[in-house]
Amino acid sequence: MKDQFLVTGGARLFGQVRVDGAKNSVLKLMAAALLAEGTTTLKNCPQILDVPLMQKVLEGLGCAVDVQGDTVRITTPARLSWDASFEAVRQFRASVCVLGPLTARCGYAVVALPGGDAIGSRPLDMHQSGLERLGARTHIEHGAVVAEARDLHGAEIHLDFPSVGATENILTAAVLARGRTVLDNAAREPEITDLCDMLSSMGARIAGAGTSTITIDGVPRLYPTEHHVVGDRIVAGTWAYAAAMTGGDITVGGISPAHLHLPLEKLKVAGAELETYNNGFRIRMQGRPQATDYQTLPYPGFPTDLQPMAIGLSAIARGTSVITENVFEARFRFVDEMMRLGADASVDGHHVVMRGIDKLSSTDVWSSDIRAGAGLVLAALVADGTTTVHDVHHIDRGYPNFVENLQRLGAQVQRVPEGY
């Protein structure tokens, strides 16, 4: 049975919360374990729905996966299955990250075209063209991407856009390719650096992680390792915006503030007080926030995954804000739900104009993706009455213990069955 959240507005959030490992990292690290025979151990893993989904994907490829709390152990056999066209692969977008490791380890891969969040088109053309530059042949057949490579070799590869997924698949193929690969206009996200750190601990030779040019010198084989997953900057940013929206005071641990530099700076512009620490930060807000403009861009720009939170803050800010979406064209579906809550918004192409009002009004709203769902919960915290948030399984895919953490911070929120 599906669940829903009942969120009663009016509470100011206070307290401390610690974030777990990043959803956008752990799933790619689990896939990278395919590159080495033996047991790889991941620590600080978030307890979210996507982890057991990736577990099913890896088990379908022949791995043994043991999940105990925040620790995931993946035992990869000497001979893997190369066919990842089964149903579990289609359920979430991150499953496509097995394409690079399977191509490198098996010389052949069939990976079902994945599903995931309804936030816009995310084609695999850069994934395919990158692998083809490394010597693979690829095509789409029967709803799956097929890659064949008898002898991967290094190459110079330029990405038209710094795609995180394409960067990951090219990296995980190039580490076992013969010779040197230079990847230009690579994604710079902290999760990419985390993947490079793990691959390096497995014996890969990688330079330039965290920059737009990554150099990989291929090695004959990799070895299992133990790795601590980087903290989830999107979850941390969600708590930061929750504090600002509710006029609260929240200290967030388990995250490098440098990974959220621009979102935290935007909160300061909106009137929040910020303190940073080695492994966390504190956000305090008194009164209504000031209107602030946002435009989403690849890292180190403002994250598209925090765009719903920026819209939520703008909905109750003093003045008018313009939010520009440059990454996923369908992410403004969230605005329709915000307007159900009474937000004064208008969408023009990839811009939305938000005219701030004093308070939102409660109603029923529906989550369309992970971040939209979390954004709707934050908006419900600043609405009068009780808002029902439906389709919260999306939120469970990215936010561990979301309701429990909100309750500890003082929010009035319940998880109940649909139709309650």
Side-chain angles (χ1 to χ4, degrees), residues 38-340:
T39 300
T40 289
T41 301
L42 300 176
K43 302 278 191 177
N44 195 39
C45 298
Q47 297 179 51
I48 55 176
L49 289 182
D50 276 10
V51 168
L53 284 177
M54 182 59 81
Q55 176 182 1
K56 290 182 181 178
V57 171
L58 297 184
E59 288 173 343
L61 295 170
C63 297
V65 183
D66 178 54
V67 179
Q68 297 290 335
D70 71 347
T71 300
V72 176
R73 292 181 177 86
I74 302 158
T75 301
T76 302
R79 294 182 62 85
L80 284 165
S81 169
W82 43 261
D83 189 351
S85 61
F86 42 88
E87 183 58 31
V89 184
R90 302 179 190 274
Q91 294 183 44
F92 64 121
R93 179 70 188 185
S95 60
V96 77
C97 63
V98 303
L99 178 62
L102 288 181
T103 304
R105 274 291 309 276
C106 305
Y108 194 78
V110 178
V111 180
L113 295 175
D117 292 332
I119 57 176
S121 174
R122 293 188 282 184
L124 298 183
D125 53 345
M126 283 188 287
H127 303 241
Q128 292 179 253
S129 62
L131 292 178
E132 288 169 359
R133 291 285 296 166
L134 294 173
R137 291 180 294 173
T138 75
H139 63 279
I140 303 295
E141 183 177 297
H142 302 306
V145 58
V146 180
E148 183 177 3
R150 296 181 180 177
D151 182 26
L152 288 177
H153 55 75
E156 292 189 3
I157 302 171
H158 176 83
L159 296 179
D160 293 334
F161 179 84
S163 161
V164 172
T167 298
E168 291 162 343
N169 266 325
I170 293 167
L171 266 172
T172 50
V175 289
L176 292 181
R178 174 175 46 83
R180 170 169 289 186
T181 297
V182 178
L183 180 56
D184 183 49
N185 200 30
R188 300 166 57 187
E189 276 74 1
E191 295 81 18
I192 293 292
T193 301
D194 198 32
L195 175 60
C196 289
D197 288 344
M198 175 173 155
L199 292 172
S200 296
S201 73
M202 297 170 75
R205 298 173 61 189
I206 301 172
T211 75
S212 59
T213 301
I214 302 177
T215 302
I216 309 107
D217 288 306
V219 296
R221 65 173 298 179
L222 296 180
Y223 302 88
T225 190
E226 181 173 309
H227 182 78
H228 184 92
V229 183
V230 70
D232 197 316
R233 62 193 171 96
I234 304 302
V235 173
T238 301
W239 295 125
Y241 277 75
M245 288 175 65
T246 64
D249 183 346
I250 299 178
T251 299
V252 182
I255 184 70
S256 168
H259 294 168
L260 280 168
H261 175 74
L262 188 54
L264 294 178
E265 286 298 310
K266 286 290 187 180
L267 288 179
K268 288 171 61 178
V269 172
E273 301 174 47
L274 170 67
E275 297 177 25
T276 59
Y277 315 108
N278 288 336
N279 195 37
F281 59 85
R282 179 183 183 184
I283 285 286
R284 289 175 287 180
M285 176 69 87
Q286 298 182 14
R288 282 179 66 187
Q290 296 295 320
T292 306
D293 293 341
Y294 301 84
Q295 59 173 325
T296 66
L297 289 167
Y299 189 85
F302 192 89
T304 183
D305 280 356
L306 288 179
Q307 180 242 80
M309 294 66 181
I311 289 176
L313 186 74
S314 301
I316 58 164
R318 295 183 184 275
T320 300
S321 305
V322 178
I323 297 93
T324 303
E325 175 57 51
N326 293 308
V327 181
F328 292 128
E329 73 277 3
R331 200 139 222 173
F332 282 155
R333 294 180 185 179
F334 170 77
V335 177
D336 292 337
E337 298 305 302
M338 287 295 296
M339 293 171 70
R340 292 172 63 85

